[in-house]
Amino acid sequence: MTHRVFIDGEVGTTGLKIRERLIRRSDIKLISLDEGDRKSIDARLAAYEDADVGILCLPDDEATKVVSYLDGTDVRLIDASSAHRTKDDWVFGFPELEEDRRARIGSARFVSNPGCYATGAIALLYPLAKSGIIDTSIRLSINAVSGYSGGGKAMIHRFENNAHSEFLAYGLSQRHKHIPEIMKYSGLEQRPIFNPAVAQFERGMIVQIPLINVASDRMKNVQTTLEDQFAGSHFISVVDPSSYSDTIDPQRLNGTNNLEISIHGDADSGGVILIALLDNLGKGASGAAVQNLNIMLGIKESEGL
């Protein structure tokens, strides 16, 4: 069976990577528009209505507008923007969270793709909050660094033309758009302090969350809880921190849909760092969209990944 898919915004960073993962698949027929029709709302709406699933790779405001235009149709949607990630009528597309989430994604009309930073943070925090290991009423700090491809066309242009230094801290106002979804799906009651940065490499990401006053028994519980959460997961694994030799290359998982979790620190001093490693364009964007698409279409989850 061939499924028809329309990527609205297929020439953008995320859209291109989704297209690359789908274009050679015999079970997927991509609906593409001529260059002159890509900004035509009528041509785009016709493409959506011709598709089994439409994937929105658009700015938030444009994604909201398109969804309103499709009201009354039965087209199924995956939104890669942040416009609908905390909306109750959209299923948050993180299949590895609860036991029933894959089934909910599979039957959903509307699926929101998680943000890249949020994917790493939620993978680390949700299992520990659910088990009570992390007190959700305290204020946590989340530190992260990403390749510049996650910053949009303007940032990509500036980095590729050496208009930025090699490291750029941003989001200093603490209003980063990923914070609401991190809070909602991790169960945090306090808004975390989020410290994102962009460095001079195209893609790749590390998310780090420090914990303090962690005794050795609690550190073991952290490891076991994360291992239990993702046991049997095709894409998320908890790895031995010694495999990193005390350094982590943020680009090591580039081109994959994988996410690696590791727990570092010294129980004697009570300091622990939780780390998630992923490709911000893989499990953090296009790979996650294809994984959700596969689930929605009843296809093997890892197909094309």
Side-chain angles (χ1 to χ4, degrees), residues 41-279:
I41 190 61
D42 290 335
R44 290 157 60 202
L45 293 178
Y48 275 111
E49 295 196 41
D50 192 32
D52 297 305
V53 177
I55 305 177
L56 297 91
C57 298
L58 304 169
D60 288 9
D61 289 346
E62 183 68 14
T64 300
K65 186 187 303 182
V66 169
V67 171
S68 70
Y69 288 149
L70 292 169
D71 187 35
T73 72
D74 59 0
V75 62
R76 304 176 76 193
L77 300 174
I78 297 172
D79 185 6
S81 82
S82 63
H84 299 99
R85 289 175 185 158
T86 59
K87 303 295 185 183
D88 290 338
D89 53 343
W90 286 70
V91 176
F92 192 61
F94 200 141
E96 294 87 357
L97 289 189
E98 308 94 346
E99 290 183 3
D100 68 340
R101 189 158 293 267
R102 281 183 177 83
R104 291 172 60 197
I105 294 169
S107 62
R109 183 185 168 199
F110 297 134
V111 174
S112 58
N113 221 43
C116 51
Y117 290 120
T119 296
I122 293 167
L124 295 172
L125 292 173
Y126 170 77
L128 304 180
K130 179 180 66 172
S131 66
I133 291 175
I134 285 179
D135 181 352
T136 58
S137 69
I138 65 173
R139 198 170 195 191
L140 296 171
S141 176
I142 302 171
N143 309 304
V145 62
S146 172
Y148 57 76
S149 58
K153 290 182 178 180
M155 185 174 288
I156 292 170
H157 176 78
R158 287 181 66 83
F159 267 99
E160 291 187 343
N161 288 276
N162 298 313
H164 277 316
S165 61
E166 293 187 357
F167 186 88
L168 183 71
Y170 75 108
L172 303 179
S173 67
Q174 294 302 300
R175 291 292 181 267
H176 194 284
K177 63 182 181 179
H178 290 182
I179 293 176
E181 65 187 280
I182 291 172
M183 292 183 66
K184 179 172 182 176
Y185 298 106
S186 297
L188 299 183
E189 301 166 45
Q190 291 280 347
R191 190 177 185 90
I193 300 170
F194 182 42
N195 306 298
V198 177
Q200 185 62 55
F201 52 90
E202 181 192 12
R203 57 197 292 188
M205 173 172 284
I206 294 175
V207 178
Q208 304 177 77
I209 301 177
L211 303 178
I212 60 174
N213 299 323
V214 180
S216 58
D217 59 339
R218 185 174 169 223
M219 188 171 178
K220 183 177 180 181
N221 288 341
V222 168
Q223 178 89 22
T224 301
T225 299
L226 289 168
E227 288 174 346
D228 289 347
Q229 172 73 37
F230 300 112
S233 170
H234 189 89
F235 296 112
I236 302 180
S237 58
V238 181
V239 301
D240 186 333
S242 65
S243 64
Y244 291 126
S245 302
D246 207 36
T247 61
I248 299 180
D249 179 359
Q251 303 179 77
R252 195 168 69 78
L253 296 181
N254 283 4
T256 77
N257 194 49
N258 296 336
L259 186 156
E260 286 184 355
I261 290 172
S262 52
I263 300 97
H264 305 257
D266 177 9
D268 292 335
S269 68
V272 169
I273 300 175
L274 310 177
I275 292 183
L277 173 67
L278 65 156
D279 179 355

